[in-house]
Amino acid sequence: MRKFKKFYIEITSICNLACSFCPPTKRQANFIKVDAFKHTLDQIHGHAEYIYFHVKGEPLLHPKIDELLDISHEKGFKVNLTTNGTLLNKNRHKLLGKPALRQMNFSLHSFDGHEGSVDKEGYVFSVLEFAKEAAATGVLISLRLWNLTSDNEINVARDRNREILEQIENFFGLDYRIEEMFVRGQGIKIADRIYLNHEEEFKWPDLKEEEDLSKGFCHALRNQAGVLVDGTVIPCCLDGEGVINLGNINRSPFSEIIEGERATKLYDGFSRREVVEELCRKCGYRQRFNS
């Protein structure tokens, strides 16, 4: 049985923000139903232990997020949840104390990415306050800033980052500037169970983009796979529109879908360092594995 280190389950395709770095989905707005969620977990049983509430959409918008966490625990899964963090105050009682919740990832760059955001200091404070409380209960916290540039020039993004970093430094009483500890590709431990991950923004794959060379590698269907809110199986978390539609778990067993013709061609292609899917040849993130 093929096993995945990361398995992405999109519990909603709806987001409360419209960030410049995240292409809006053209798919129907939807929330996963409880029965459909149970079915998804049953389908992937044995294929994964860690599930990620993430592809498109904001998971804290789901009205039954607490119930989904309880079901995940009952069925033996650990949950990693990625959020923009703007809805924490409404949902903290649904998150704290849930045994399934292993890790929360906060996309701090969401604030500056969404036009019209107000009270940045209050937003960051609410995330840090929650992070400290959740970490004390055993939850891992990843604070993410994905808006670095590839060079060392001073720019607006770096100025915005400094505001956030300074607030983190003050909140946790750090005696150093975070930039001094930064090593590309490595997280910085801010406090017990709390880490900062600082990386360049990347381009989401898009069929309208230019293709790179067809040679290359990716971990899609090796250490990760996913299911969109409508049951569409995708090879990785960046196929947010289900372009590489491998099948639908509402019509076929997941174990058959990932051994199907299209999935096999993609997997075997990467084994030969050949990129068989057009979307993969237009993926900026994949290029990180080919440098």
Side-chain angles (χ1 to χ4, degrees):
M1 179 179 290
R2 191 179 299 179
K3 293 188 177 182
F4 302 97
K5 183 178 179 181
K6 300 178 180 180
F7 196 92
Y8 295 88
I9 300 178
E10 183 184 68
I11 63 174
T12 180
S13 57
I14 305 169
C15 190
N16 62 319
L17 300 183
C19 297
S20 58
F21 55 81
C22 186
T25 181
K26 299 175 183 177
R27 295 180 286 117
Q28 181 179 356
N30 203 357
F31 292 99
I32 197 169
K33 305 294 190 295
V34 170
D35 287 345
F37 182 73
K38 290 179 179 178
H39 175 70
T40 299
L41 295 190
D42 290 340
Q43 287 284 302
I44 67 171
H45 180 75
H47 291 283
E49 296 179 22
Y50 300 103
I51 54 178
Y52 291 67
F53 288 176
H54 180 54
V55 178
K56 288 291 184 71
E58 168 52 53
L60 296 190
L61 276 174
H62 200 293
K64 296 185 177 180
I65 182 72
D66 49 346
E67 190 172 346
L68 301 187
L69 287 169
D70 288 339
I71 293 168
S72 300
H73 178 63
E74 291 167 7
K75 293 185 177 291
F77 291 91
K78 289 292 186 180
V79 176
N80 298 299
L81 189 154
T82 298
T83 173
N84 58 46
T86 59
L87 302 174
L88 280 175
N89 291 335
K90 296 180 180 179
N91 289 279
R92 61 192 306 117
H93 65 288
K94 295 183 178 182
L95 301 169
L96 293 172
K98 293 297 184 184
L101 188 58
R102 172 184 176 269
Q103 178 170 327
M104 288 190 68
N105 307 313
F106 292 97
S107 301
L108 296 180
H109 45 286
S110 299
F111 185 93
D112 289 319
H114 177 73
E115 186 176 349
S117 294
V118 294
D119 190 15
K120 184 175 185 176
E121 185 176 350
Y123 160 72
V124 174
F125 179 79
S126 67
V127 171
L128 298 182
E129 188 178 45
F130 179 90
K132 188 175 181 179
E133 186 174 359
T137 69
V139 178
L140 288 169
I141 301 294
S142 172
L143 306 172
R144 295 179 168 181
L145 280 172
W146 270 190
N147 54 6
L148 284 183
T149 56
S150 56
D151 52 46
N152 293 317
E153 293 180 5
I154 300 298
N155 55 33
V156 174
R158 288 182 183 274
D159 291 341
R160 292 198 300 251
N161 283 353
R162 175 92 293 269
E163 294 174 358
I164 295 176
L165 296 180
E166 185 174 358
Q167 195 168 346
I168 293 172
E169 291 161 2
N170 292 336
F171 184 90
F172 290 102
L174 304 183
D175 59 0
Y176 57 86
R177 284 171 64 99
I178 290 173
E179 291 97 329
E180 297 171 358
M181 306 295 289
F182 172 64
V183 177
R184 189 172 300 282
Q186 296 182 17
I188 300 170
K189 186 174 183 179
I190 300 298
D192 188 35
R193 307 185 74 82
I194 301 177
Y195 297 84
L196 174 70
N197 291 284
H198 217 183
E199 271 293 354
E200 297 174 27
E201 183 180 337
F202 62 90
K203 279 191 175 182
W204 283 66
D206 190 318
L207 292 177
K208 296 178 182 178
E209 294 291 331
E210 292 185 11
E211 292 190 13
D212 64 3
L213 297 175
S214 59
K215 293 291 182 181
F217 177 76
C218 180
H219 294 286
L221 290 184
R222 273 181 163 72
N223 69 8
Q224 67 166 286
V227 176
L228 299 179
V229 69
D230 66 353
T232 299
V233 177
I234 54 176
C236 80
C237 63
L238 293 180
D239 186 5
E241 294 301 288
V243 173
I244 308 175
N245 184 342
L246 302 177
N248 193 295
I249 59 172
N250 296 320
R251 294 188 286 271
S252 304
F254 175 76
S255 57
E256 292 183 8
I257 291 173
I258 59 169
E259 299 294 342
E261 182 180 1
R262 190 170 189 179
T264 299
K265 286 183 178 179
L266 183 149
Y267 184 96
D268 290 346
F270 282 133
S271 296
R272 301 188 302 269
R273 300 302 190 266
E274 294 179 6
V275 188
V276 300
E277 289 283 350
E278 180 183 0
L279 187 69
C280 299
R281 295 194 295 270
K282 299 179 176 182
C283 177
Y285 195 82
R286 181 186 61 79
Q287 296 170 5
R288 297 186 178 192
F289 304 119
N290 304 311
S291 57

